[in-house]
Amino acid sequence: MARTAYHHGDLSQQAHQQALATLREQGDGAISLRALARQLGVSAPALYRHYADRESLLAELAISGFQALRQRLLAVNQQDSRKALIGIGLAYVAFARDEPNLYRLMFGGRVLPRGAHPRLDQAGLAAFQVLEDTVANGQQRGYLKAAPLSLLTAAAWSLVHGLSQLTIDGHLPGPDSEPQLAAGITALLLDGSVERTTNKEPSP
Amino acid sequence: MARTAYHHGDLSQQAHQQALATLREQGDGAISLRALARQLGVSAPALYRHYADRESLLAELAISGFQALRQRLLAVNQQDSRKALIGIGLAYVAFARDEPNLYRLMFGGRVLPRGAHPRLDQAGLAAFQVLEDTVANGQQRGYLKAAPLSLLTAAAWSLVHGLSQLTIDGHLPGPDSEPQLAAGITALLLDGSVERTTNKEPSP
DNA sequence: TGTACATCAGTGAACGCGCGTTCACTGATGTAC
DNA sequence: TGTACATCAGTGAACGCGCGTTCACTGATGTAC
């Protein structure tokens, strides 16, 4: 253990991890730089070597959250358009359910306003892009209505985002019935977006 | 002005109003009992005559928020089922856009957890009820699919809630194009929920 | 109509707390020659 | 291979702040008789 007194060596990473743990357990309001430093056995100002201020730390957490969400969405099988869209919806809601406090931080709006952290905005966009690509894909295959892409995407996003929020805030029936709820709701929107004549996927 | 030194006479109400003003301008995080008392020219402990603690005050604000939302939803014309559903969606999103910080408090989840304030939960339910009634109404008139009411309602709610959140957090295109976006999205969900054979409203 | 008294709605002072951030500093590391 | 020196990553102390809440209290109001 080359843990010399000075030069912790891994402070940036460990601070991130510890803050993430606190966030998960107690929400972003519970994250303070002083407490964090205490937990890491380090003086508070040391953290300022790695994070400009408290908000920057939170932004970093949110960024890695968006990256994780993006990975989940990318992992969805894209072969069948219909299954892909439902799969994206399920993956999205599953992420929110698994990481409620992280999700709240990412989309809270209050804590991390748009525009203040360019890398954060970018990470959010990158995750959103996967959803939009999936919709565009479905549309190109003639599977979705000819409505403007932005409209279809906004609808899909609103739906999964709203469902996520309502779920993690306990407004909807227990989490046991929630996955099929998500699937059912997504299907509901989908069937509305399907051209009547083209409700079969062209085989690859 | 019977504003005697003691006995402010209207402290409860004025505290509510002042707190609401602060909430609107700066969000719930900016509400503190001490600052509030200062603004009202009253000692801080005086507020404890009217509110058990800070959180109770926030709960009161959220309650009146739900009441206001409910009124807006009740004001929607219910004659035509399709128009009613779209109207509810528009009214809902308009409320969020007009009162972003209040809306965040009502649905933040972090600040006011479900179950802690019975009257708050009740007020939330009462607002939700209007939406559910509208959906049930549409279904009874044979206008909506025979899917479970809870599913249809959850879908509608998720959609408008998600759209509201994304809108007030600036994730969607400018607020200028937003009303037609809301209408378009709601219609998208609706057309998916419409039985193909019954897309005309029985005339009254 | 007057009065004793309970109750209500305020006050001022204080407790105890933790926070973000800055400052001048020191010890460790890496690099040029 | 050794050494001067810049740079990096920490330290401890302190500033200044505002907060929620409790305490023992006092002044005003309302009510029973």
Side-chain angles (χ1 to χ4, degrees):
Chain A
M1 316 258 116
R3 234 262 210 173
T4 52
Y6 264 72
H7 288 98
H8 179 288
D10 195 28
L11 184 53
S12 177
Q13 290 249 4
Q14 283 198 27
H16 186 110
Q17 289 307 318
Q18 180 63 49
L20 183 56
T22 303
L23 172 66
R24 281 183 171 132
E25 288 158 24
Q26 313 187 52
D28 57 76
I31 293 181
S32 88
L33 291 186
R34 297 189 87 136
L36 192 53
R38 228 177 289 129
Q39 291 164 327
L40 295 168
V42 129
S43 76
L47 292 171
Y48 284 83
R49 291 282 153 202
H50 305 278
Y51 300 98
D53 49 23
R54 188 188 110 99
E55 198 175 293
S56 298
L57 171 60
L58 293 178
E60 291 302 323
L61 296 178
I63 287 171
S64 60
F66 276 118
Q67 288 166 347
L69 173 58
R70 180 162 183 272
Q71 289 309 317
R72 289 221 201 184
L73 298 185
L74 282 176
V76 171
N77 186 345
Q78 290 280 348
Q79 283 209 289
D80 181 327
S81 284
R82 183 185 177 86
K83 282 185 189 160
L85 283 161
I86 294 186
I88 288 271
L90 286 174
Y92 194 102
V93 179
F95 177 82
R97 193 194 46 225
D98 292 347
E99 296 279 9
N101 282 330
L102 178 53
Y103 189 84
R104 287 198 185 100
L105 174 64
M106 291 158 60
F107 287 102
R110 239 169 334 196
V111 194
L112 297 170
R114 292 290 96 178
H117 304 268
R119 286 175 48 237
L120 174 58
D121 296 352
Q122 191 187 335
L125 264 167
F128 167 74
Q129 199 66 48
V130 181
L131 190 145
E132 187 166 71
D133 287 351
T134 306
V135 173
N137 211 336
Q139 205 173 28
Q140 275 165 25
R141 298 195 204 173
Y143 187 70
L144 292 173
K145 269 191 180 165
L149 178 59
S150 65
L151 183 68
L152 287 173
T153 312
W157 196 15
S158 294
L159 195 72
V160 293
H161 181 58
L163 182 56
S164 296
Q165 292 268 9
L166 294 177
T167 297
I168 66 183
D169 289 343
H171 293 284
L172 294 178
D176 307 330
S177 63
E178 177 262 313
Q180 67 233 44
L181 184 61
I185 287 181
T186 313
L188 212 55
L189 177 65
L190 261 188
D191 291 338
S193 305
V194 173
E195 294 274 45
R196 292 186 202 153
T197 51
T198 329
N199 50 5
K200 287 229 171 124
E201 179 82 0
S203 50
Chain B
M1 340 231 94
R3 233 261 211 174
T4 53
Y6 262 73
H7 287 98
H8 179 288
D10 194 28
L11 185 51
S12 178
Q13 291 249 5
Q14 283 198 28
H16 186 110
Q17 289 307 318
Q18 181 63 49
L20 183 56
T22 302
L23 172 67
R24 281 182 169 133
E25 288 158 24
Q26 313 188 51
D28 57 76
I31 294 180
S32 88
L33 292 186
R34 297 188 87 137
L36 193 52
R38 229 176 290 131
Q39 291 166 329
L40 295 168
V42 129
S43 75
L47 292 171
Y48 285 83
R49 290 283 153 203
H50 305 278
Y51 301 98
D53 50 22
R54 189 188 109 99
E55 197 176 295
S56 298
L57 171 62
L58 292 178
E60 290 303 323
L61 296 178
I63 287 171
S64 62
F66 276 118
Q67 288 165 348
L69 173 58
R70 179 161 184 272
Q71 290 310 315
R72 288 222 202 184
L73 298 184
L74 282 175
V76 172
N77 186 344
Q78 291 279 347
Q79 285 209 289
D80 181 328
S81 283
R82 182 185 177 86
K83 282 184 190 162
L85 284 162
I86 294 186
I88 289 271
L90 286 173
Y92 193 102
V93 178
F95 177 82
R97 194 193 46 226
D98 292 347
E99 295 279 9
N101 283 328
L102 178 54
Y103 189 85
R104 287 198 185 99
L105 174 64
M106 290 157 62
F107 287 102
R110 240 170 334 194
V111 193
L112 297 170
R114 292 291 98 179
H117 304 269
R119 286 177 48 241
L120 173 57
D121 297 351
Q122 192 187 335
L125 264 166
F128 168 74
Q129 198 67 49
V130 182
L131 189 145
E132 187 166 73
D133 287 351
T134 306
V135 173
N137 211 335
Q139 205 173 31
Q140 276 165 24
R141 299 196 204 171
Y143 186 68
L144 292 172
K145 268 189 179 165
L149 178 60
S150 65
L151 183 67
L152 287 173
T153 312
W157 196 15
S158 294
L159 196 73
V160 292
H161 181 58
L163 182 56
S164 297
Q165 291 269 9
L166 294 177
T167 297
I168 66 183
D169 288 345
H171 293 284
L172 294 178
D176 307 330
S177 64
E178 176 262 312
Q180 67 234 45
L181 183 62
I185 287 182
T186 314
L188 212 54
L189 177 65
L190 261 187
D191 292 338
S193 306
V194 173
E195 294 274 46
R196 291 183 203 156
T197 51
T198 328
N199 50 4
K200 288 228 173 124
E201 179 83 0
S203 51

